[in-house]
């Protein structure tokens, strides 16, 4: 059963929120200055740490964080620090028409592992629909959250494999894999358990 995400935020029961942006994202932004420009979609942005990191590192970018939880989005709005960060309450699976082919980049971090694994093909189709031609999906994938002591045995978070992500994205017409690597930075406890993958839309 899917969690009531908004209730989790209302109750402050959010162990995934580390109070700072994803270390692999921070590493990537440092190594790839002025690369993540244009409109950037951050699905399942939570309280907005990654959106803020992108907005800060790339002032000419327009990152938009979406989340199904109204409470999370209210927190994002309250914590706004940069002119270019934006937020909107939205369900990734029910995106309005204006999201269609609207984004140059998608940044993924712990949204994929939050949804039920049976919905992963739908997740990939939803992401594909938002990207412009030549748009880039960049994601950090949490491979084995179940070996982390706070993760419930039946998830979420739900683990994955590099092979599964590759298969799902390449099955969706019009994605090519551009890079696949282990990050050099991680939250405490996630060393060697995350993988960064980049796919381009044709
Ligand atoms: C594990 S949390 C990660 C949040 C954030 N990425 C972080 O690392 O702090 C998963 C997030 O995905 C959001 N979410 C779950 N299903 C969603 C959907 N269908 N559309 C948009 N957001 C969703 C939840 O509300 C939650 O904020």
């Amino acid at each position: 059963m899917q969690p009531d995400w908004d209730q989790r935020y209302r109750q402050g029961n959010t162990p995934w929120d580390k109070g700072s942006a994803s270390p692999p994202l921070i590493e990537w932004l440092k190594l790839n200055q002025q690369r993540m420009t244009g409109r950037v979609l951050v699905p399942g942005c939570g309280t907005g740490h990654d959106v803020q990191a992108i907005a800060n590192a790339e002032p000419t970018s327009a990152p938009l964080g979406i989340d199904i939880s109204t409470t999370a989005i209210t927190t994002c709005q309250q914590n706004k620090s940069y002119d270019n960060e934006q937020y909107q309450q939205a369900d990734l699976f029910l995106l309005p028409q204006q999201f269609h082919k609207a984004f140059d980049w998608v940044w993924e971090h712990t949204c994929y592992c939050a949804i039920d694994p049976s919905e992963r093909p739908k997740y990939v189709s939803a992401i594909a629909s938002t990207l412009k031609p030549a748009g880039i999906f960049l994601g950090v994938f949490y491979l084995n959250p179940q070996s982390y002591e706070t993760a419930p045995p039946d998830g979420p978070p739900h683990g994955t494999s590099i092979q599964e992500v590759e298969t799902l994205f390449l099955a969706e017409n019009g994605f090519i894999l551009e890079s696949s690597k282990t990050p050099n930075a991680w939250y405490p406890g996630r060393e060697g358990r995350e993988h960064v993958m980049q796919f381009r839309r044709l």
Side-chain angles (χ1 to χ4, degrees), residues 112-113 115-128 137 141 159-177 197 199 201:
Y112 175 94
C113 72
I115 62 169
D116 192 87
S118 65
E119 300 206 293
R120 287 178 175 170
K122 237 172 86 184
Y123 168 96
V124 177
S125 297
I127 296 297
F137 170 91
F141 292 93
T160 188
S161 65
I162 298 164
Q163 187 57 52
E164 183 190 37
V165 177
E166 241 185 79
T167 303
L168 283 169
F169 273 82
L170 299 183
E172 176 77 33
N173 248 347
F175 271 118
I176 53 163
L177 177 63
M197 298 176 83
F199 294 88
R201 198 95 181 101

Side-chain angles (χ1 to χ4, degrees), residues 5 9 16-17 44-46 67-69 90-93 109-110 114-115:
W5 292 104
Y9 282 100
W16 56 82
D17 189 332
C45 67
D67 204 286
I68 201 166
S69 161
D91 182 340
L92 178 65
F93 298 130
H109 168 221
T110 54
I115 62 169

Side-chain angles (χ1 to χ4, degrees), residues 8 12-19 148 150-152 156-157 190:
R8 297 289 296 265
N13 183 8
T14 56
W16 56 82
D17 189 332
K18 309 296 180 203
Y148 194 56
T150 61
R190 288 204 196 160

Side-chain angles (χ1 to χ4, degrees), residues 170-192:
L170 299 183
E172 176 77 33
N173 248 347
F175 271 118
I176 53 163
L177 177 63
E178 288 197 323
S179 84
S180 177
K181 53 178 83 156
T182 307
N184 293 307
W186 44 81
Y187 289 127
R190 288 204 196 160
E191 180 174 0

Side-chain angles (χ1 to χ4, degrees), residues 59-171:
T60 63
S61 71
L64 171 68
I66 63 163
D67 204 286
I68 201 166
S69 161
T70 311
T71 304
I73 291 298
T74 301
T75 302
C76 293
Q77 302 282 15
Q78 287 166 348
N79 293 343
K80 259 184 91 162
S81 304
Y82 305 98
D83 288 344
N84 54 335
E85 59 178 305
Q86 294 176 349
Y87 300 96
Q88 185 174 330
Q89 189 280 333
D91 182 340
L92 178 65
F93 298 130
L94 297 169
L95 290 177
Q97 181 59 28
Q98 68 263 29
F99 280 65
H100 189 64
K101 292 190 179 171
F103 293 90
D104 301 282
W105 289 81
V106 172
W107 165 249
E108 151 64 40
H109 168 221
T110 54
C111 182
Y112 175 94
C113 72
I115 62 169
D116 192 87
S118 65
E119 300 206 293
R120 287 178 175 170
K122 237 172 86 184
Y123 168 96
V124 177
S125 297
I127 296 297
S129 76
T130 67
L131 281 167
K132 295 177 185 175
I136 296 175
F137 170 91
L138 179 67
V140 58
F141 292 93
Y142 197 2
L143 301 176
N144 55 352
Q146 265 54 50
S147 58
Y148 194 56
E149 65 276 15
T150 61
D154 50 351
H158 303 282
T160 188
S161 65
I162 298 164
Q163 187 57 52
E164 183 190 37
V165 177
E166 241 185 79
T167 303
L168 283 169
F169 273 82
L170 299 183

